[in-house]
Amino acid sequence: MVEPDHHHFDTRALHAGQRPDPVTGSRAVPIYQTTSYVFDSVDHAAGLFNLEVSGHLYSRISNPTVAVLEERLASLEGGVGAVCTSSGQAALHLAMVTILNAGDHVVASRNIYGGTHNMLSLTMPRFGVTTTFVDPRDPKAFAAAIQEDTRLVFAETLGNPGIEVLDIAAIAEVAHAAGLPLVVDSTFATPYLIRPIDHGADIVIHSVTKFLGGHGVAIGGVVVDGGRFDWAANGKFPTLSEPYDGYHGITFTEEFGTAALSMRARAEGLRDFGGCMSPTNAFYLLQGVETLPVRMARHVENTLRVVEMLDAHEAVTWISHPSHPSHPDHALATRLYPKGAGAILSFGIEGGREAGRRFIEAVELASHLANVGDAKTLVIHPGSTTHQQMSREDLAAAGISEELVRLSVGLEDPDDICADLSRALRVSQRA
Amino acid sequence: MRFDVAGRSVLAATGAVPIDRPEVAGAPIVVLVHGAGMDRTVWSQQTRWLAHHGTRAVAVDLPGHGGSDGPVLGSIFELATWISEVSDALGGAIHVVGHSMGAFIGLEAAAEFPNKISSLVLMGLGAAMPVHPDLQTAADVDDPLAADLMAGWMHGPDQKFGTHPTPGMSMTGTARAIIETSPSGVLAEDLKLCAEYDGAIAAAAALTCQATLVLGRLDRMTPRKSAQPLVEALGHANVVELATSGHAPMSEEPEAVRAALADHLFATAD
């Protein structure tokens, strides 16, 4: 049987979305640091503004450097297109406002990034969008929470911080049976470890800041449109399936079909909310994406070493990473993530909150900060930082105990990472 | 918009410009016809532009494709007859812009129903369209490999990496999604119709209307040389060759295709 004629993942991570600049021959993606673009004619300008022809007109809507990153991420995820945003949270917001209206309802995993939990539980209700949170391991809970006014299902492929492994196909089946799209945040996994669209997800969002960018130098997000969801099938998504006065009565599903969501997200969402990515940030993030396969393989390799070390350490009371046999999703992770289930793990320290504080203050190589997915090893105490706005009850429901420490394993020599953590663990046990 | 043909609903993109709007009354009707396993949206780089440049553009979903009622029709001749019925439903002779299988349909319709077809613009076609047996085999069982093969073969080498004329879009990703979301069995039936049709030369020789061929020099599905017998049979056809296009010039070189359409339509408009 003949093979498909396309390049493999590692090659596309370096090349997709770009050809050498035809004018200068520049091999690297140039930074098009410009706000705007000269029109060929009045007719050309009118055509761009009216979605008659494609091209760049203003960098809030699109930019050539950003477009390379967008097309590259769409290629890596297997989507029809992508829209980059100023941050991962802006990506989630863009996806939501493109699909939802006041009065709509969301069913979401309860084991998600604290900022996302805040957005869904505290902020979106002010705009008439409510959310029911459910156990991400229970497809029946998703099904039971779906209401007449539910318009999307949301979860993280690898939960933050507990690394709950989402059975994407099972949750997609629940969502699709109700005529709803499944939106996943796959920041912790990256397309190197899993491509959610292949498993049935409809929209994939990322904080590109994390492993995709990989070096902790630029903030960014992306919405990748899978293009397989039928937005016109049931009348639940009027922003996409009904005429829009913003472009003289255009119906995005009718005119753009599989690209309806990404076209509306850009044409309306970036135009009106303006959460665009800067070209310089896109350039920085592209440098990271180019080495994603190499870095992620090393991230995972180092993580396995760290898990092994922590597992044997007497000060560690428990460890949560899907590679560990004690993790509830170990079997699922083995099936869905043959290259490894990421480089973020959490663990508990003997002595609770105080011991955790001593541990974090004792690490020297690992950095204590609010980020993950850097080339450098990072550590944080979510209960007092990233998830601090969540109530005690919500924290408990999300499996975030007060002693939980989250670790993002970097690319340093694994012996050095293990030595640093081991020493800090010893310090944590001194009363 | 939706309209009925032979009692079945047809979905068409019109660039969001209603074709019955008084301002466009009398403007040329341009019916854009997609290829095997595809839908109306392959013309998204042309439809809305045509609708705002002096024509009534109607990019149709063929029966059983996209949002149009089925079933799929069983031969290029049946589809050509259906196109003649589209002409009736839209209220007058039409210019047909066809891609690949859609080009065969337009060619056959113009030969069989010359009073209903004003002119033709045909792209991505040869005198015959043999189908790779592995593609047909995969399509027969709805194997996603069929979409992968099509998406890879239908674009020129530049599109292996991009870039898409629309910022952020993936050309191969879009092609794959359109094929994957088409109803079960549709691609397989379309490919059989393409492979079985042997009337292109006769239809071309019988043609009385103006025709323009838009041919990609890097077309691997219907190589440029495979169109030469058609060019010769047509005799009077205008031929536009696009240097970097493969089998899908409307996506790969949309501006050049718009220019070819403008040259053709505004020279031949009724």
Side-chain angles (χ1 to χ4, degrees):
Chain A
M1 183 68 83
V2 67
E3 291 289 317
D5 182 21
H6 55 64
H7 290 292
H8 293 91
F9 185 94
D10 293 15
T11 306
R12 286 182 283 125
L14 283 156
H15 293 278
Q18 190 226 358
R19 280 171 272 167
D21 186 84
V23 176
T24 65
S26 172
R27 178 61 272 190
V29 178
I31 303 174
Y32 287 93
Q33 192 66 49
T34 182
T35 58
S36 39
Y37 309 85
V38 176
F39 304 124
D40 297 341
S41 64
V42 171
D43 185 58
H44 177 232
L48 284 167
F49 274 93
N50 197 33
L51 303 181
E52 295 166 27
V53 299
S54 295
H56 304 288
L57 60 92
Y58 191 65
S59 283
R60 189 177 79 246
I61 313 298
S62 67
N63 169 279
T65 310
V66 179
V68 174
L69 178 60
E70 291 169 332
E71 191 167 340
R72 190 164 298 178
L73 294 176
S75 172
L76 295 180
E77 284 288 12
V80 298
V83 181
C84 278
T85 56
S86 56
S87 71
Q89 285 304 92
L92 177 60
H93 178 263
L94 180 63
M96 297 255 173
V97 297
T98 302
I99 298 169
L100 302 175
N101 290 288
D104 289 346
H105 173 258
V106 173
V107 176
S109 160
R110 68 188 182 203
N111 299 68
I112 53 177
Y113 167 53
T116 302
H117 194 281
N118 293 339
M119 179 177 169
L120 293 172
S121 64
L122 302 174
T123 309
M124 293 301 278
R126 291 200 287 116
F127 302 94
V129 174
T130 57
T131 297
T132 300
F133 295 96
V134 298
D135 179 353
R137 293 190 173 107
D138 185 0
K140 288 179 182 169
F142 281 90
I146 290 171
Q147 308 170 175
E148 190 62 32
D149 54 359
T150 304
R151 291 295 177 269
L152 68 84
V153 174
F154 174 79
E156 294 175 352
T157 53
L158 296 175
N160 181 354
I163 322 299
E164 296 81 7
V165 179
L166 190 74
D167 188 341
I168 302 168
I171 305 304
E173 188 177 341
V174 169
H176 295 165
L180 304 174
L182 172 62
V183 182
V184 297
D185 182 335
S186 200
T187 296
F188 280 16
T190 83
Y192 176 77
L193 297 178
I194 198 164
R195 301 200 330 156
I197 293 165
D198 292 346
H199 296 263
D202 301 294
I203 298 170
V204 181
I205 63 169
H206 287 278
S207 170
V208 187
T209 314
K210 309 303 189 301
F211 291 103
L212 284 166
H215 295 80
V217 297
I219 301 286
V222 68
V223 179
V224 181
D225 179 2
R228 273 71 169 176
F229 189 76
D230 186 354
W231 302 104
N234 54 25
K236 291 182 176 180
F237 307 99
T239 56
L240 298 169
S241 66
E242 293 182 10
Y244 175 47
D245 288 341
Y247 287 93
H248 309 294
I250 197 168
T251 300
F252 282 86
T253 50
E254 198 165 289
E255 298 298 324
F256 301 113
T258 58
L261 178 105
S262 37
M263 290 298 292
R264 174 113 185 191
R266 186 180 302 281
E268 179 195 52
L270 290 187
R271 182 196 65 186
D272 294 355
F273 295 103
C276 59
M277 179 182 283
S278 80
T280 302
N281 274 5
F283 175 82
Y284 289 137
L285 295 165
L286 275 164
Q287 309 317 303
V289 173
E290 290 193 353
T291 58
L292 177 72
V294 181
R295 288 186 296 103
M296 284 308 290
R298 177 67 180 266
H299 274 296
V300 168
E301 186 183 325
N302 282 3
T303 300
L304 296 178
R305 284 282 307 278
V306 169
V307 167
E308 186 182 9
M309 184 279 289
L310 292 174
D311 194 32
H313 203 288
E314 59 191 14
V316 174
T317 53
W318 55 267
I319 183 167
S320 180
H321 187 265
S323 65
H324 195 277
S326 68
H327 193 282
D329 304 320
H330 178 67
L332 181 61
T334 303
R335 176 165 61 85
L336 292 184
Y337 292 83
K339 294 179 185 171
I344 296 171
L345 58 99
S346 56
F347 60 95
I349 299 175
E350 185 75 40
R353 191 185 194 95
E354 270 306 300
R357 187 183 62 77
R358 287 195 295 273
F359 167 80
I360 282 177
E361 292 188 347
V363 292
E364 294 178 351
L365 182 63
S367 303
H368 178 211
L369 50 76
N371 193 19
V372 293
D374 197 317
K376 303 171 183 73
T377 296
L378 313 175
V379 66
I380 202 164
H381 179 233
S384 62
T385 54
T386 55
H387 291 68
Q388 72 155 262
Q389 282 90 8
M390 291 172 66
S391 69
R392 187 178 296 271
E393 293 74 25
D394 285 341
L395 282 171
I400 302 172
S401 55
E402 64 172 14
E403 79 276 18
L404 183 149
V405 170
R406 185 184 71 188
L407 188 66
S408 175
V409 180
L411 302 177
E412 300 93 341
D413 188 295
D415 289 342
D416 294 336
I417 300 171
C418 289
D420 185 48
L421 299 176
S422 182
R423 192 190 51 76
L425 282 168
R426 286 197 301 275
V427 172
S428 75
Q429 300 305 296
R430 296 173 192 158
Chain B
M1 75 167 186
R2 283 198 169 275
F3 63 104
D4 283 355
V5 173
R8 294 195 175 89
S9 177
V10 175
L11 179 62
T14 62
V17 179
I19 61 169
D20 57 358
R21 218 163 63 173
E23 305 92 283
V24 295
I29 303 171
V30 182
V31 174
L32 300 105
V33 187
H34 61 79
M38 294 288 169
D39 69 19
R40 69 200 178 280
T41 63
V42 299
W43 302 108
S44 63
Q45 293 285 328
Q46 284 79 34
T47 309
R48 192 163 167 83
W49 180 85
L50 284 168
H52 286 85
H53 286 80
T55 74
R56 287 177 283 175
V58 183
V60 295
D61 281 344
L62 290 168
H65 296 67
S68 289
D69 287 351
V72 295
L73 302 181
S75 69
I76 296 296
F77 180 75
E78 284 181 53
L79 285 160
T81 304
W82 181 83
I83 285 291
S84 77
E85 293 166 344
V86 168
S87 164
D88 297 338
L90 297 178
I94 58 177
H95 301 267
V96 174
V97 179
H99 171 241
S100 196
M101 182 180 78
F104 273 178
I105 296 166
L107 189 60
E108 184 71 21
E112 287 292 327
F113 309 99
N115 57 327
K116 295 184 179 181
I117 309 299
S118 300
S119 77
L120 291 174
V121 178
L122 308 176
M123 56 193 81
L125 79 165
M129 287 193 213
V131 174
H132 193 291
D134 288 353
L135 172 59
Q136 185 68 60
T137 300
D140 285 344
V141 294
D142 283 330
D143 185 335
L145 174 66
D148 260 355
L149 293 173
M150 286 268 290
W153 292 343
M154 73 186 298
H155 302 111
D158 281 356
Q159 287 307 323
K160 279 189 175 183
F161 293 134
T163 58
H164 197 290
T166 303
M169 299 306 298
S170 165
M171 202 168 287
T172 52
T174 304
R176 194 181 298 120
I178 293 173
I179 297 167
E180 282 184 10
T181 54
S182 70
S184 173
V186 164
L187 175 64
E189 289 305 309
D190 286 352
L191 293 174
K192 285 175 191 161
L193 299 192
C194 290
E196 289 168 358
Y197 180 62
D198 60 2
I201 294 292
L207 212 64
T208 56
C209 67
Q210 181 62 39
T212 293
L213 300 185
V214 180
L215 305 172
R217 286 185 186 154
L218 305 178
D219 189 338
R220 288 181 292 168
M221 297 189 82
T222 50
R224 168 65 185 85
K225 65 181 179 185
S226 73
Q228 194 55 33
L230 271 180
V231 173
E232 290 163 9
L234 285 164
H236 57 285
N238 178 36
V239 177
V240 178
E241 292 194 24
L242 300 182
T244 63
S245 282
H247 189 61
M250 63 285 192
S251 305
E252 295 173 273
E253 292 189 70
E255 194 169 347
V257 170
R258 286 192 293 267
L261 289 173
D263 288 346
H264 174 92
L265 291 167
F266 302 136
T268 60
D270 291 336

